[in-house]
Amino acid sequence: MYSILKGTSYFLAHAPEMVIHNGTTQTTQRKIDPDSSYLKEIGGNIRDYEACVAYPPNQVYIGNMTPEELAALPMPWYDKRVEAKRQGAFGEIMPEDEFIGMMKVCDVFDLVKLNESVCQAVKTKLMAHPLVDNALLTGLDKPTGAAEIAELIQHAGAEAIHLRGEVVGCVKAAHDIDETLSAHVIFENLVSKVSCVLSILHLIHQSGVNKTEIDYVIECSEEACGDMNQRGGGNFAKAAAEIAGLTNATGSDVRGFCAGPSHALVMAASLVKAGVFKNVLVTAGGSTAKLGMNGKDHLKKGLPILEDCVAGFAVLISENDGINPEFNTDIIGRHTVGTGSSPQNVISSLTFAPLERAGLKLTDVDKYSLEMQNPDITKPAGAGNVPESNYKMIGALAAMKGQIQKAELNAFVEKHGMVGWAPTQGHIPSGVPYLGFARQEMLAGKIERAMFVGKGSLFLGRMTNLFDGISVVLQKNSGVSQETGITEERVKQLIAASLRDFAGHLAGKLEE
């Protein structure tokens, strides 16, 4: 019995001040050249909340537009607006002030300090949020004075929290000398935790599952929490589950750079299929480090800063209900140690090889979801159209294997590929953005099979020169639930096997 995809959610927080003050490109530039023209110009090239919400790829991310509708819009998209909806079929786009308030809500060590005006205004807004438990908002009843905030920033190494051009609070260091618990790292980790919590809350709402029914949580972002003795010890999963109210859940973190989510999906699907847990939640928060990552290139070409959102997602994997799409864990692609780093070898090991072992062709997969990065962001930065490049490699592989004609390459890309729409937050674009749409399309009978591929750059950690990757197939449900048992065909197979065993046993007795 394969496990099923029971629900998905996707979350964005518009974070313009975090772009300026916390994104690695900007903080690095501030150290190298604090008087650079880039730092002077960036503030005037930040989108407001309304523009962020009306940005077409963001509406696709939260489920208000489909990838097909996005593809119908001529590029570039940054100068186009669609209907601005904060809430979507999969999640929401939260404004920065509320997100900052949630940082205080999710802080259990009193490290986040906010002034009185922000506490009052944000509490009022969050009390009206349909998914936020008002009992969690008591922390906003304890504001900090401006003088104390300034003292912590100037003399205690606290990281300032900015809102609309003003310092409204700070995040304290959690230790005097431990760099792993510095204010900058705590700030980054809290942002990741908060976006993870909000993704979980949306998933619970979208799927209708009872919070108490979640058994296990796997967190798969690119952040790491710990202290000087175990810098990446974790555990974001349990920390997020605590705030989200998953009282019966335990969990752990999985890391694999951009491939982390795909590894987590395979692990979760396997745990459920094996009967270890009934409901496993895979989730990840976003990264402040990657905000404005390509900002310099965007400004040079007259674009606004497009990497202005912290992203998150959550996925619920459960026992087979006979309805929802199944994760076929018999079809797993792996980039092994011996695969090598050539693009052809990487793509072949993750797509062609596992499908061939299952007796399938590359054309038997309706849709592939790989690195679904928004080309509006990557093309001006010189990285090209990442999804399109991947689809062309898969199509070329299909042609090389004789599964399509060379002249059909463009048609293959159009049929089996998609435009990218996900923010460039590392692990966020890696396969998972399409899960929500794939589930909808399989339930509607539009597609039968999709492959989700994660690729990771392990060499970034300077521990190995290897790449990484893993893939898994999601398929239309066979119509058999955990409760109803096995198919008629399987019953026939079991009966036939039993008759063969009986015949063999009887023959043995006769010979005696």
Side-chain angles (χ1 to χ4, degrees):
M1 298 297 295
Y2 295 124
S3 51
I4 52 113
L5 174 62
K6 197 168 185 178
T8 60
S9 72
Y10 300 92
F11 171 82
L12 292 174
H14 183 232
E17 293 287 350
M18 294 183 192
V19 172
I20 297 171
H21 300 285
N22 305 103
T24 297
T25 296
Q26 290 69 244
T27 56
T28 302
Q29 184 66 32
R30 199 166 285 116
K31 291 178 181 178
I32 297 171
D33 183 8
D35 296 319
S36 71
S37 59
Y38 172 64
L39 293 176
K40 292 175 182 177
E41 294 171 8
I42 189 172
N45 289 276
I46 296 287
R47 296 186 294 190
D48 60 23
Y49 176 70
E50 289 70 25
C52 171
V53 176
Y55 183 52
N58 288 349
Q59 286 295 310
V60 177
Y61 191 76
I62 64 170
N64 284 333
M65 287 178 63
T66 66
E68 291 75 21
E69 290 171 330
L70 180 63
L73 290 177
M75 289 191 69
W77 299 317
Y78 70 86
D79 58 353
K80 297 175 177 63
R81 292 196 178 197
V82 294
E83 185 178 357
K85 295 181 181 179
R86 169 174 173 165
Q87 302 291 337
F90 300 144
E92 72 170 307
I93 305 174
M94 179 176 276
E96 190 167 30
D97 60 345
E98 293 180 38
F99 189 71
I100 288 171
M102 286 301 297
M103 289 176 65
K104 178 67 175 174
V105 169
C106 293
D107 168 34
V108 298
F109 278 90
D110 195 28
L111 299 173
V112 178
K113 303 293 183 180
L114 297 176
N115 67 27
E116 185 173 3
S117 62
V118 168
C119 282
Q120 290 178 351
V122 170
K123 183 177 180 181
T124 300
K125 288 186 175 184
L126 290 177
M127 285 179 69
H129 196 291
L131 303 184
V132 177
D133 184 352
N134 287 350
L136 296 173
L137 302 180
T138 55
L140 293 169
D141 294 329
K142 302 173 182 178
T144 303
E148 183 179 347
I149 291 171
E151 175 70 18
L152 289 169
I153 294 171
Q154 293 171 16
H155 301 292
E159 186 94 347
I161 296 176
H162 297 80
L163 182 64
R164 291 185 280 271
E166 298 180 2
V167 175
V168 298
C170 66
V171 175
K172 293 170 56 180
H175 195 277
D176 293 337
I177 61 172
D178 187 347
E179 293 182 0
T180 312
L181 295 173
S182 68
H184 180 80
V185 174
I186 294 294
F187 188 110
E188 189 171 285
N189 285 353
L190 272 173
V191 167
S192 187
K193 176 184 175 182
V194 173
S195 46
C196 188
V197 167
L198 288 161
S199 298
I200 293 173
L201 293 177
H202 276 283
L203 176 67
I204 298 299
H205 175 71
Q206 303 295 346
S207 66
V209 68
N210 192 303
K211 289 183 179 182
T212 61
E213 295 177 359
I214 304 298
D215 304 304
Y216 201 81
V217 178
I218 301 176
E219 202 274 352
C220 54
S221 69
E222 292 182 321
E223 308 303 322
C225 61
D227 64 17
M228 66 176 78
N229 294 312
Q230 58 276 313
R231 287 169 294 176
N235 181 312
F236 276 104
K238 209 159 187 178
E242 175 190 21
I243 303 298
L246 310 184
T247 54
N248 288 331
T250 186
S252 62
D253 299 346
V254 167
R255 296 292 177 265
F257 286 90
C258 297
S262 296
H263 283 289
L265 287 177
V266 172
M267 293 177 191
S270 301
L271 285 169
V272 173
K273 182 185 177 185
V276 178
F277 301 115
K278 292 184 177 181
N279 294 292
V280 177
L281 196 155
V282 174
T283 185
S287 170
T288 54
K290 292 186 174 68
L291 292 171
M293 186 167 55
N294 294 292
K296 292 181 181 180
D297 292 306
H298 292 166
L299 262 58
K300 285 178 184 176
K301 297 181 180 178
L303 279 66
I305 300 296
L306 297 175
E307 295 160 309
D308 57 358
C309 286
V310 172
F313 72 85
V315 176
L316 179 60
I317 299 176
S318 304
E319 287 183 318
N320 206 311
D321 59 4
I323 301 170
N324 280 287
E326 305 169 332
F327 283 101
N328 188 335
T329 46
D330 292 325
I331 308 176
I332 299 294
R334 301 177 302 137
H335 181 284
T336 65
V337 171
T339 297
S341 59
S342 75
Q344 182 175 313
N345 285 351
V346 173
I347 286 293
S348 181
S349 68
L350 297 175
T351 59
F352 172 77
L355 292 171
E356 184 185 43
R357 288 194 295 269
L360 297 171
K361 297 180 179 180
L362 290 165
T363 51
D364 291 327
V365 173
D366 296 298
K367 289 290 182 181
Y368 291 88
S369 184
L370 289 85
E371 300 161 293
M372 302 311 300
Q373 294 178 11
N374 176 1
D376 224 18
I377 296 172
T378 57
K379 288 179 73 174
N385 188 328
V386 179
E388 184 180 68
S389 297
N390 280 318
Y391 293 130
K392 286 182 177 179
M393 282 194 284
I394 297 173
L397 188 60
M400 188 178 71
K401 300 295 183 181
Q403 297 179 5
I404 64 170
Q405 299 298 314
K406 289 183 179 180
E408 297 176 301
L409 177 58
N410 289 337
F412 179 92
V413 172
E414 184 175 349
K415 180 178 180 180
H416 301 278
M418 294 169 284
V419 296
W421 64 88
T424 50
Q425 291 253 295
H427 56 292
I428 296 295
S430 192
V432 293
Y434 180 59
L435 280 168
F437 292 112
R439 178 173 175 269
Q440 288 181 339
E441 291 166 5
M442 287 183 190
L443 289 173
K446 294 180 179 179
I447 64 172
E448 293 191 1
R449 189 179 291 116
M451 176 174 270
F452 294 82
V453 183
K455 295 195 290 180
S457 305
L458 299 189
F459 53 83
L460 294 173
R462 306 301 191 270
M463 292 291 105
T464 175
N465 283 311
L466 291 174
F467 284 87
D468 185 34
I470 191 166
S471 64
V472 63
V473 165
L474 186 72
Q475 64 190 24
K476 187 177 179 180
N477 198 291
S478 59
V480 186
S481 71
Q482 206 79 21
E483 288 75 23
T484 58
I486 56 179
T487 63
E488 181 179 347
E489 181 62 29
R490 181 58 177 156
V491 170
K492 291 178 180 178
Q493 291 173 354
L494 292 171
I495 291 173
S498 297
L499 288 174
R500 286 194 298 271
D501 289 343
F502 176 74
H505 175 73
L506 183 61
K509 287 293 185 181
L510 292 173
E511 288 177 0
E512 291 175 4

